Amino acid sequence: MPRSSSPPGDNDEDHAIELQNFLAELSQDPEREAVASEILVLQSIYGDDAIRLWHPPSTNGKAYGGRKDSTTRYEVALSLSSPHEDVSLKILVSLPETYPKSSPPQLQLLSKYIGSFGADSNLFGSILRTYISVSGVEWSEDTVCVFDGLQNVFDRCVKWYEDKLSAEKVGELVRDDAKDLPPSETPDAPADDQIPGINDTVPAALPIGVHIYVAESITDRKSVFVGRACRIHHPSEVPLILSHLMSDRRIARAAHPIINAWRCQVDSVVHQDNDDDGETAAGGRLAHLLQILEVNNVLVVVTRYFGGIHLGPDRFKHINQAARNALDQGGFLDAPETKKTTGRGKKH
C-alpha cells in the first residue's frame, strides 16, 4: 500500500480546514454527496494529509476545488518505498460534474520527476488514459472508482521506476567493464538511447487545439535563447504543455529549459503565473512583458542554453526578446484574441 507524502513548506492545518469545508459543501448537494464520501475513504486509506484541493499557481493560494467549470479537482500525494532515495508522486484527480453517474474521472501525473528520473511522455500519457485504456481501470456508471485508478497508477509508476533503475544499473556495469579492459579493447560506451528504457520515447501529446510557435534563436557568447509561445484556453493546460516541452531531450538538457509566464482569462477572472526555472527573476520579467503587451490566453516559454560565459544583465534582455519574438511569430501581438484565429510562422 502506498504511503502518503505531504509537500514541504505548506500549512497542513490550513489545507485540512479548506478540504473539510469543501467536503461539507459537497455533502449538502445530493448529486455530489458520493464524491465527498469517496474523498473521505481515500483519506482513511492514504492519510489525512494526502488529499488536498488543487491549487493552480494562478489562484494566488485560493483553492480551485470550487467548481467554476463544474469540475472538482484535488491532488493525491503518494510515496513509493525505495531503498535508494525518497520517491514521491503527486496525482491530480479531475471529476466532471456528472461523475460518477455518467462520466469517469481523469487522472494526471503532476510530478515532473519520479526519484531522480524525469517522467517521460509514455508515462504521462498512460496515466491520462487510465479509464479509457485496456491496461487501465474499467469504469461503470454510478460507481466510484478513483481508488482503483490511483492503485493502477501507483503500480504502473513503481514498475516504471524499477525499470529506470535497472537500465541505469546496466549502463553502470557496461562502464565498469570498460574500465577493466586495455585501451585497445575498450568499447565505445553506449549512448543513453541505446540502453533499453532510457529516453526511448516521443514528446508528450499537447492538449487538443494547442500549437506552439517557435522563434528564431538568439545567440550571445555561446549562450542560446529560444522563445516559444502558444494559445491556452484554461490554466489546466499549462502543466501539460510544459510536460510536453520537457519530454523533448533537446529542451530538457538546457540549463534553464522552461522559463515561462502565462495569462489566461476564465469567465471574467484573469489567472496568471510565472516560473524562473532557476534563472532568478526571469519569470517575473516575462510576466511583466505579457502585462504591458496586454496579451491574454497565452503561454510564453524561453529555453536558455548556457554557453559557459556569464552574460550579466544582458541575459534578461535576450530572454525578453526571445519571448517577444515568439509572440510575434504566433501572431499574438496583432489584435485581440477574438480577431486572431490563426498564428503565423513555425509550429512546434
Side-chain angles (χ1 to χ4, degrees):
M1 180 71 64
R3 296 174 286 109
S4 66
S5 174
S6 301
D10 289 345
N11 189 317
D12 292 338
E13 184 177 354
D14 288 347
H15 281 286
I17 294 173
E18 178 184 62
L19 181 59
Q20 183 179 2
N21 292 338
F22 183 65
L23 292 176
E25 176 190 339
L26 285 182
S27 299
Q28 301 302 313
D29 183 353
E31 298 293 327
R32 307 298 285 169
E33 187 176 2
V35 172
S37 298
E38 183 179 37
I39 293 176
L40 289 171
V41 171
L42 293 176
Q43 279 188 307
S44 69
I45 295 172
Y46 297 121
D48 291 341
D49 296 335
I51 314 295
R52 293 183 174 184
L53 295 184
W54 184 50
H55 288 267
S58 60
T59 56
N60 297 321
K62 297 181 180 179
Y64 198 75
R67 306 177 304 281
K68 283 192 176 181
D69 62 351
S70 302
T71 300
T72 298
R73 295 181 174 89
Y74 59 88
E75 300 175 7
V76 181
L78 308 174
S79 179
L80 283 62
S81 298
S82 171
H84 305 280
E85 55 186 333
D86 292 331
V87 182
S88 60
L89 297 175
K90 188 179 291 185
I91 309 298
L92 174 63
V93 179
S94 298
L95 306 178
E97 186 178 21
T98 51
Y99 169 82
K101 185 175 181 180
S102 59
S103 301
Q106 184 182 74
L107 305 182
Q108 177 187 332
L109 179 64
L110 294 178
S111 305
K112 294 181 181 180
Y113 293 88
I114 299 179
S116 57
F117 303 107
D120 58 39
S121 59
N122 285 350
L123 184 62
F124 276 111
S126 68
I127 291 173
L128 285 172
R129 296 189 296 271
T130 295
Y131 294 98
I132 59 174
S133 170
V134 293
S135 61
V137 173
E138 183 177 356
W139 170 77
S140 301
E141 293 184 357
D142 288 317
T143 304
V144 294
C145 56
V146 171
F147 172 73
D148 293 336
L150 289 173
Q151 287 299 109
N152 181 274
V153 168
F154 179 80
D155 293 341
R156 196 176 309 150
C157 288
V158 168
K159 183 181 184 305
W160 181 91
Y161 177 69
E162 291 176 346
D163 287 345
K164 290 294 184 183
L165 286 177
S166 297
E168 184 180 57
K169 187 63 176 177
V170 169
E172 291 175 356
L173 292 173
V174 170
R175 287 187 286 271
D176 289 343
D177 289 343
K179 292 178 183 178
D180 296 333
L181 294 174
S184 60
E185 299 178 23
T186 302
D188 291 334
D192 283 346
D193 56 5
Q194 294 175 314
I195 301 175
I198 294 185
N199 297 319
D200 52 355
T201 63
V202 295
L206 285 169
I208 296 175
V210 173
H211 304 285
I212 299 179
Y213 296 88
V214 187
E216 293 294 328
S217 61
I218 298 172
T219 303
D220 182 5
R221 286 163 278 181
K222 299 183 180 180
S223 282
V224 180
F225 302 81
V226 181
R228 294 174 173 85
C230 65
R231 175 79 61 208
I232 57 176
H233 309 90
H234 192 275
S236 62
E237 293 179 337
V238 174
L240 292 175
I241 297 168
L242 296 180
S243 295
H244 166 83
L245 294 175
M246 286 299 292
S247 67
D248 187 329
R249 290 176 59 194
R250 295 168 299 177
I251 297 173
R253 72 185 182 190
H256 308 285
I258 48 172
I259 305 167
N260 68 85
W262 58 271
R263 289 166 58 89
C264 184
Q265 183 168 331
V266 179
D267 298 329
S268 59
V269 180
V270 175
H271 303 278
Q272 57 187 330
D273 196 36
N274 63 85
D275 189 344
D276 297 334
D277 197 23
E279 185 70 277
T280 304
R285 290 168 184 259
L286 289 183
H288 182 63
L289 177 68
L290 295 182
Q291 290 172 355
I292 62 176
L293 293 175
E294 298 182 344
V295 178
N296 285 337
N297 302 326
V298 166
L299 164 67
V300 63
V301 182
V302 175
T303 301
R304 183 196 178 181
Y305 300 87
F306 181 56
I309 301 173
H310 293 288
L311 304 184
D314 284 348
R315 68 189 188 278
F316 297 118
K317 176 183 68 176
H318 297 321
I319 289 170
N320 269 22
Q321 188 60 55
R324 189 181 183 109
N325 291 348
L327 292 169
D328 184 55
Q329 190 84 353
F332 302 126
L333 303 181
D334 296 342
E337 178 183 317
T338 53
K339 297 182 181 179
K340 293 182 288 185
T341 56
T342 60
R344 68 173 189 272
K346 180 179 178 183
K347 291 183 181 179
H348 177 74

